[in-house]
Amino acid sequence: MSVAAVRVRRSLEAATVPYPMILGVLGAAVVVSVVVATGIGPVRIAAGEVTSILLHHLGGGGDTAANADLIVWRLRFPRVLLGAVVGAGLALAGAVVQSVVRNPVADPYLLGLSSGASVGAVAVITTGVSALGAMTLPVAAFAGAAAAMAVVLLLARHRGRLLPLRLILVGVTCGHLLGGVTSFMLARAENSSAQQQIIFWLLGALSGANWSVLGAPSAVVVAGCFWLLLRARRLNVLVLGDEASAGLGVNASRLRLELLLVTTLLVGTVVAVSGGIGFVGLIVAHLARMLVGADHRRMLPVTALLGALFLVWADVAARMLITPTELPIGILTAFIGVPFFLLVMHARGLAAEGSP
Amino acid sequence: MTLNVERVSVALGGTTVLGQVSMTVPDGGFTALLGPNGSGKSTLLRTVYRARRPDSGRVLVDGTDIWAMPAAWAARRTGVLAQEHHSGFEFTVTETVTMGRTPHLKGLDRLSRKDHDVVGQALEQTGLTRFATRRVGELSGGERQRVLLARALAQQPRMLVLDEPTNHLDVRHQLEILELVRGLGVTVVAALHGLDLAARYADTVVVLQEGRIVADGSPSTVLTGDLVRDVFEVAAIVDKADDGLLRVTTRPLRSGRVR
């Protein structure tokens, strides 16, 4: 290998901390956080006992007390896992949308996904329809998100092309229209219990977690993450713009369409079970970029792990801050996330022109 | 690699930008596109690097219609230095140049030793080795332009398409970049503003005016005082410089303010 090539390899790996170590530390932090967070609640359960209960259920044996077992396995563990999955999914989707529209203040909801989901969910809550049993609300929310994205894509498409500015304009406009519909239904809601339910849904909550709602989002987030990694190189190219993409053999409009369909799947399934949790999708990708740079091959896995970590702890705060009542998690993501983000940004001296 | 543009037409919003344009660039040849702003140079180049599909006509490289092939197929053969609104400032120089390997890589492929070699060579050729770990956003306009050229070189193209490659460059780097490109031995199609640069580096010049080719041939036959006056609306004296190369001196047709 030539001297120049060695230099290239070094400069690609020039991060102060080796990348595999960052990935390892974050992965371990997620596992530890899930165990510790499962132990936290009105009934405190030591991390050691949580571990043995989890190992017992995962096939490792060991004796567990029936009461603690119920709390850990039935109630808290699925919820903490859902937090991790939702956090990872929203953070990934945020990173993708920021690159698709080449705008650092974009988030997964920019293109009307959450507004569409909200219309579906709120319609179910206000009308009391329950055609699909417990799954009625998630299915309606997903359908709302998918329909909103379909409309946005159709309207934004112009002469076979899908360009960032048009996407943003159409997405934001449709989002406002759908927001109006939601507000209308909220104002017209018959009773205050329905209104309370709606507000909780709009701000997001993981209180609906149980084993049955965990499957779909987990599968979609894991598959989505892998799919995105396969396209990470082309995502890098997309950030350079349409002309550069053409020259490098990447059809920017088609890649945008594919990425937005996957984003819809990710955000749709996640929002369907957790409501419109804000802020995760906006900020986590930026933290990942500050940590490992802008190359999607490096930042996407870090984004997913950071998103999981962040939401697990935001949910602990949502459960514990004003016990015995619970706060919508969207309030906590803003309260914890904004100061934390500003602190990190200040420490790292993020240039204003920095991100895509 | 030989480039054949066959009767390519492009219309934008009902206006003809290119009308039945045909040209041939032989393997290893250097063709300069000349013409005033809005004459269709960039649009013609865009049809060659697959950024704009011609409304009619074909673009062939070595006899194959590039618009009938996958985008990556074309990008493995043709490298592009286009007029980009600079973005992707957060990437490092090496990351950006490495993106030139994209058409040669699939999904999860790791960079091979060869990929590293190619990127290292591209950085060296463009004098960017010492900037390797810097972010593109920290560089000057001229350095960024060299990053884009290095990225194109990392594609290992057999043809280079250059749209105003000397933009943002100081005089020394203008000459250096064209010397470098000329020395690569690949086929080159370049839109140039500088008539002198075209005369010095191109084998063939193609002059565009309002989307049509009005003259083509060797610089010495095409670049005459009459043609320059008709197409560019400036007065020109064309003579031979000390080194035997064509020299084009221009001045306004009428002195005074810009109208």
Side-chain angles (χ1 to χ4, degrees):
Chain A
M1 197 183 305
S2 71
V3 179
V6 172
R7 217 174 281 149
V8 168
R9 178 163 288 175
R10 284 212 195 106
S11 61
L12 280 174
E13 295 160 358
T16 40
V17 185
Y19 179 67
M21 192 182 286
I22 291 178
L23 218 50
V25 167
L26 282 176
V30 170
V31 173
V32 170
S33 294
V34 165
V35 172
V36 174
T38 304
I40 299 174
V43 180
R44 291 224 164 220
I45 299 166
E49 195 178 351
V50 173
T51 312
S52 64
I53 292 171
L54 294 181
L55 287 176
H56 173 73
H57 280 278
L58 297 170
D63 280 335
T64 56
N67 195 31
D69 185 277
L70 178 78
I71 291 172
V72 167
W73 190 252
R74 294 270 164 188
L75 299 174
R76 290 205 199 134
F77 188 55
R79 175 170 182 157
V80 172
L81 275 188
L82 186 68
V85 166
V86 167
L90 290 178
L92 276 175
V96 172
V97 173
Q98 283 168 6
S99 294
V100 163
V101 298
R102 290 164 67 190
N103 193 318
V105 296
D107 77 357
Y109 304 152
L110 178 77
L111 304 176
L113 278 172
S114 66
S115 323
S118 299
V119 170
V122 172
V124 168
I125 295 172
T126 50
T127 58
V129 174
S130 59
L132 300 168
M135 292 305 286
T136 313
L137 196 145
V139 167
F142 180 86
M149 183 55 95
V151 169
V152 169
L153 287 175
L154 281 174
L155 291 177
R157 218 171 149 82
H158 183 61
R159 293 196 183 136
R161 299 183 74 190
L162 212 49
L163 299 178
L165 183 61
R166 219 177 140 94
L167 265 171
I168 295 177
L169 289 175
V170 172
V172 168
T173 327
C174 288
H176 273 285
L177 178 66
L178 294 168
V181 175
T182 304
S183 300
F184 176 76
M185 288 193 288
L186 176 61
R188 299 275 303 164
E190 291 290 324
N191 53 60
S192 58
S193 128
Q195 285 178 337
Q196 187 75 15
Q197 220 186 327
I198 291 170
I199 289 171
F200 251 81
W201 198 89
L202 292 178
L203 289 168
L206 298 170
S207 45
N210 59 53
W211 284 111
S212 67
V213 301
L214 200 54
S218 307
V220 168
V221 168
V222 170
C225 188
F226 186 72
W227 188 91
L228 288 172
L229 275 177
L230 280 176
R231 271 139 191 91
R233 245 181 240 291
R234 286 194 273 158
L235 250 169
N236 287 343
V237 173
L238 191 65
V239 174
L240 300 181
D242 287 50
E243 294 297 308
S245 298
L248 292 169
V250 173
N251 183 335
S253 292
R254 199 173 72 195
L255 183 58
R256 281 195 192 101
L257 179 65
E258 287 177 17
L259 288 167
L260 288 178
L261 291 178
V262 169
T263 306
T264 307
L265 203 60
L266 267 176
V267 177
T269 30
V270 161
V271 168
V273 295
S274 66
I277 300 175
F279 201 68
V280 186
L282 174 65
I283 247 58
V284 174
H286 287 292
L287 291 175
R289 283 190 201 99
M290 290 183 217
L291 213 55
V292 296
D295 184 345
H296 286 87
R297 282 158 39 89
R298 293 157 58 88
M299 66 81 82
L300 284 177
V302 170
T303 300
L305 292 174
L306 279 177
L309 206 54
F310 179 58
L311 213 61
V312 165
W313 287 108
D315 186 48
V316 168
R319 284 188 279 143
M320 298 306 292
L321 223 51
I322 322 181
T323 43
T325 54
E326 199 174 292
L327 284 171
I329 192 170
I331 296 175
L332 274 303
T333 53
F335 280 6
I336 303 172
V338 174
F340 179 65
F341 179 74
L342 291 177
L343 208 70
V344 176
M345 191 173 87
H346 185 72
R348 299 289 302 243
L350 177 75
E353 52 172 4
S355 304
Chain B
M1 209 164 68
T2 309
L3 171 70
N4 281 299
V5 175
E6 289 182 351
R7 294 184 305 282
V8 162
S9 296
V10 172
L12 289 176
T15 314
T16 301
V17 182
L18 286 179
Q20 300 268 328
V21 169
S22 297
M23 68 171 190
T24 298
V25 185
D27 186 31
F30 189 130
T31 293
L33 298 185
L34 300 175
N37 291 337
S39 58
K41 303 188 296 288
S42 292
T43 305
L44 177 54
L45 293 181
R46 293 183 82 227
T47 64
V48 175
Y49 63 83
R50 280 186 55 111
R52 175 64 160 90
R53 188 185 281 276
D55 296 331
S56 65
R58 297 195 302 168
V59 178
L60 310 172
V61 295
D62 282 345
T64 307
D65 184 350
I66 60 155
W67 282 98
M69 302 303 288
W73 181 92
R76 283 194 291 272
R77 287 155 179 81
T78 306
V80 184
L81 173 53
Q83 295 192 51
E84 288 175 23
H85 302 288
H86 284 280
S87 57
F89 285 172
E90 69 280 16
F91 291 113
T92 66
V93 168
T94 307
E95 281 170 350
T96 309
V97 176
T98 304
M99 287 186 217
R101 299 306 295 158
T102 307
H104 298 276
L105 297 166
K106 285 201 196 72
L108 284 173
D109 283 359
R110 293 185 67 89
L111 294 176
S112 68
R113 175 171 295 201
K114 185 194 164 201
D115 294 318
H116 286 296
D117 276 335
V118 170
V119 172
Q121 201 192 351
L123 288 174
E124 240 164 38
Q125 283 177 313
T126 47
L128 288 169
T129 309
R130 69 200 169 93
F131 298 114
T133 56
R134 297 268 296 274
R135 284 179 181 227
V136 174
E138 298 165 2
L139 303 182
S140 73
E143 287 155 358
R144 281 178 205 158
Q145 192 74 353
R146 276 147 64 199
V147 172
L148 299 188
L149 178 68
R151 197 184 73 205
L153 295 180
Q155 288 173 256
Q156 290 189 297
R158 286 187 284 147
M159 176 165 74
L160 272 174
V161 177
L162 313 172
D163 196 355
E164 305 293 355
T166 54
N167 258 0
H168 310 293
L169 294 182
D170 57 36
V171 179
R172 179 190 135 202
H173 284 112
Q174 289 188 11
L175 296 176
E176 278 185 4
I177 209 170
L178 290 173
E179 286 287 337
L180 168 63
V181 166
R182 177 89 250 202
L184 292 171
V186 300
T187 311
V188 180
V189 200
L192 294 174
H193 265 311
L195 302 180
D196 269 326
L197 291 175
R200 177 176 289 271
Y201 290 103
D203 313 313
T204 314
V205 295
V206 171
V207 183
L208 281 163
Q209 188 177 26
E210 293 173 5
R212 284 170 206 283
I213 292 178
V214 291
D216 61 6
S218 70
S220 57
T221 56
V222 170
L223 293 176
T224 61
D226 285 348
L227 176 114
V228 174
R229 191 186 58 239
D230 290 349
V231 174
F232 293 92
E233 300 180 35
V234 292
I237 301 163
V238 183
D239 57 7
K240 285 253 159 73
D242 298 339
D243 54 6
L245 285 163
L246 217 56
R247 179 172 60 188
V248 185
T249 315
T250 52
R251 60 182 170 75
L253 281 177
R254 292 170 208 83
S255 55
R257 288 167 180 279
V258 174
R259 282 172 300 150

